[in-house]
Amino acid sequence: MDEEPLRPEAEAPLAGRGAPAPAESSRRGNWLRGAALLLGGSLPVFLLMCTDRRWSPSVPVGALGCLVATTGVLDLMGAFRPSGRAGRTSLAWLSLRSPLVRCLAATAAAYCALRLAVAGVLPLPRASSALLVTASFGWVLVELARLWTLFSTAAAGATPEAPSAPWWRRHGFWLLAFNALLALPMLGNFSLSDPWETHYGEVSREMLARDDWISLWWAQDGWFWSKPVLDFWIQGLSFSLLGVRYEPDQMIGAVASGAFPQPEWAARMPIFVITLACLYFLYRGTARALGARAAFFGGIVLSTTPYWYFIERQTMTDMPYVAPLAATFGCFLLGWLAPPDARVRSVRVAFGSRSFELSGFHALVGAVVLSTLPQLLYLLSRNLTLHLDANPPGFRWHTDEFLQGSGGGNCGLAGNQACRWMEAVNPNLEPALTAITFAVALTLLLTLLREERRARRLWYAAAWYFATLSAMAKGAPGLVVPVFVVAAFIVATRRPGELRDVMPTTLVLLVVCIVLPWYVQMYARHGQPFIDRLLFHDMYKRAFVHVHDTNAGDNVSFRYYVWQLGYGLFPWSGLALGGLLWWGRRELMKDGTEPDAMRAEREALSLCGLWFLTCFGLFTISLTKFHHYILPAVPPLCVLAGVVLDRLFGPPDGRARPALGYAVVGGLAATLLLYGASELWPGSLLGDTSTEGLPPEARPWRGAGMLCLALALGVLGVWRFGARQRTDEETLILRSTALGTAGLMATVALVLVGRDLLVDLPGDVDANARFMHLFTYNYDRAWPKTLDFGAAFFAATAVAAAAQSAAVLHAWRRHAAALLSACGVLCAAWALNVYFVKAAPHWGQRETVMAYYRDRKGPEQPLVAFQMNWKGENFYTGNQLPAFVTTGKAFKDWLSRQRRRGVDVMYFMTEHTRLGTLKRELGEYESFTPLTDKGLNNKFFVARVVF
């Protein structure tokens, strides 16, 4: 939503000023066309939701129908009517046809690549899926960038005074491309991690198996009421769209026929896409205030912090909560810095003699309608069922009814409740009635936005839209944090007039339309127990009562999240501290005034500082603490660190070719530095150990040789391509003693963090496990003895600390910043492609369950979960397994019944520590053959038992 100055006629309602009033017949035509599009798009979606059959293309058909219906809503609002302003550049439809076709082709290629990766039918499935998905998604980004450049060029008028940069020269594009290249290749190539990913993945799988998108089910635990529904909806849509076989005994059952199914691609891809989109909005907001390069560096720092890139690849509720929160503040900054007399820029698209306008207004309203309309249609469909298998087929009106129990025929299995149909606790709140009520609220919201074209207000409305998505993902914090920070920021900047422009009424209506429908229907179905569990237990009590004891014996005071931020920001931990110190400075001109650019930067940094302090204080005083709870405080810290990194690089010299050569040579030198440093410590970058669990010995001579070669290459790069550091006001400030002292303090902090990642402290967890603990909660889980990454952590700490120390010296500052940046990028690539990939099998169950499917003769030889409740066993088998969380007489009686039925071969899955208990409770058997060992998974194993 770029801005342009308001013309005088824009002060009145924008639909009619500056152009002849449309004829009555034209208005009638818009109403008729809009109503036809709304009905024609909504009806197929409604019928798909009503039918008692499952249709594989239901998601693309439903998405297309919702898009058509949304177009109808916009037409009913008169949003496509040209404003009649002179000088508007028009885009002919013929000029758009080729870019749109290329964009659709790229999207189709990405869809096919993902579908093939999920099915596991590609040759060399891990490598080919990584290559195809990454390449096709990169193509999508390129085509979207080209299409965006086309529209933005037309919106800007494409004049010499206001040129539009080509897509390959835009920082935002390269930030998204970097994220895709970093995160995508191995996104679906490793198991879902216990417990969060398997928990939430199983809930999403059951949602599809039970065909119920309101009441969530949780394997043998019954109703799932611990989290709001957004994460499960997007996972369920992705499962259905990409062909995940979510039925019982089908999830990865194809491995028995030689395939290598990877449902993890479908589970994680929507989280990644949402994160990428929200990162772009954060970049846009910070770029407006801090400059494109500083915002780009902030995005790079954020993308290469362990907190972000690990949780970005986890199908859990935290990233769908934090990423929209970051987008909220990005959009707020864009609104805050927009001129009061600016309106959103639009593009006129011409179809022969007819034309219509498109702008950010259409994107915002379209997103709101697309987030609300499917909910309303689904609620309407809960009182009507289209029975296609009945004789004769037809519709049946009924009150709201829903299934209790596991879907797909799992009812009655050990550990699963018996299935039965339920009726709502509050029958007066029928879904159709609540749908009509929320449709009225949506109408009020659209009426409020109908004539709004002011860029500031539209950006504020976009910020609140993202805040509602954040609340849909994790609940109250998604609203509490942005509302408090925005209100405090407005008060601190003494601009009370913004309280009106920030549109609180729009926020309330967005919450009503997007967030409340699911809550209200859940309350109607389940009553007070649902409210007690979600709102009081999992929100209120987690904040003010110590609900979980996973940190028993740890110091959970102020220092708790200081520690976790140190690990989660590595190797940027010291630079983040420098960013906080940078926030406290204030620059003035020689005459004591503050230019607009400086004021915008100061206000943006103040917003980030307030954002960080709010999140840090909120989660520090919260009595329930998990390591990843502090994730909302990470984006503002990285923005502040990006500003410092930008200043360390100094003013750009504008030389593209030398800069490219400098980056290539410097990147190679940094790689050799890290490799050489790793050779000075026992171990290897790959983490492999001997059969006794000991890392390889250090090779100091090889390390010293690599370090010398790296230094020589670095000197060559600086001499051949490096630009001399300029001396100006910025660098003079950076040369100050205070900042030099702060740089040394930051180096000390980084070394302390590296020590904790490297050395096992008495009474503490294994140092190797600290990265895994950033997104898990069972902190006493044993680290596998087959892996030791001490050499890698030593190398990263040594190189990053050396770079950060060298940045104190003015002459070395730019090159030190480049080395630190290369170290951060290389560490992230190593962590995602080596550390995470090798550790993941020990925190998941995919490989273990695959061993069962490869060995069994058929479903008549069942897999039994013995004293397990991790949900990975349920997810990867489609919950088609008897599950015994507690054993004893019930387990022995069930075993006797199976043996009397003639079942003489069974497979048992349990933890290694429960092997003795399992053998005792099995009684007499002919053979007990483990299929996996601790090298594959140090937590779980599966064994074949012949009776």
Side-chain angles (χ1 to χ4, degrees), residues 246-290:
Y246 55 81
E247 300 87 355
D249 206 36
Q250 298 295 312
M251 180 63 73
I252 57 173
V255 71
S257 58
F260 190 76
Q262 299 176 96
E264 298 82 5
W265 282 104
R268 296 187 178 115
M269 195 67 189
I271 308 295
F272 170 75
V273 172
I274 288 177
T275 304
L276 203 64
C278 293
L279 177 63
Y280 180 73
F281 281 100
L282 177 63
Y283 160 78
R284 283 289 305 276
T286 52
R288 178 68 58 87
L290 307 172

Side-chain angles (χ1 to χ4, degrees), residues 17-245:
R17 300 298 295 266
E24 188 65 30
S25 60
S26 177
R27 282 205 189 98
R28 189 181 306 116
N30 288 340
W31 277 92
L32 291 176
R33 185 176 61 240
L37 289 172
L38 176 59
L39 182 61
S42 300
L43 186 58
V45 179
F46 176 73
L47 292 177
L48 280 172
M49 293 175 173
C50 287
T51 183
D52 59 355
R53 282 188 186 176
R54 309 286 179 85
W55 302 91
S56 56
S58 59
V59 173
V61 171
L64 180 61
C66 288
L67 284 172
V68 172
T70 300
T71 304
V73 171
L74 287 166
D75 206 8
L76 285 170
M77 297 171 65
F80 296 122
R81 287 199 297 270
S83 63
R85 287 175 289 153
R88 174 65 56 203
T89 302
S90 294
L91 282 176
W93 171 248
L94 290 178
S95 66
L96 285 173
R97 186 171 59 184
S98 294
L100 287 174
V101 169
R102 289 196 304 267
C103 195
L104 290 174
T107 304
Y111 170 74
C112 292
L114 282 167
R115 184 127 190 170
L116 291 172
V118 168
V121 295
L122 294 167
L124 299 174
R126 291 179 184 270
S128 55
S129 61
L131 179 62
L132 288 178
V133 172
T134 305
S136 59
F137 193 83
W139 184 20
V140 171
L141 288 179
V142 169
E143 295 305 330
L144 287 176
R146 296 173 68 176
L147 193 62
W148 170 253
T149 302
L150 181 65
F151 275 97
S152 61
T153 301
T159 62
E161 294 77 18
S164 181
W167 61 270
W168 64 86
R169 296 185 63 183
R170 294 174 179 261
H171 289 82
F173 166 76
W174 289 111
L175 177 61
L176 300 185
F178 171 79
N179 271 267
L181 186 62
L182 179 69
L184 268 182
M186 300 301 292
L187 185 71
N189 278 324
F190 52 89
S191 173
L192 296 185
S193 302
D194 294 324
W196 304 123
E197 282 197 292
T198 50
H199 283 187
Y200 300 151
E202 172 59 15
V203 172
S204 302
R205 190 205 64 79
E206 282 282 14
M207 183 174 65
L208 291 173
R210 299 171 64 253
D211 195 22
D212 187 348
W213 295 67
I214 298 176
S215 297
L216 306 178
W217 190 261
W218 202 18
Q220 60 266 18
D221 286 301
W223 299 117
F224 180 85
W225 294 336
S226 296
K227 292 292 183 291
V229 75
L230 178 63
D231 183 44
F232 311 108
W233 280 352
I234 59 178
Q235 275 195 78
L237 290 172
S238 182
F239 284 171
S240 181
L241 181 66
L242 297 178
V244 171
R245 302 177 67 180

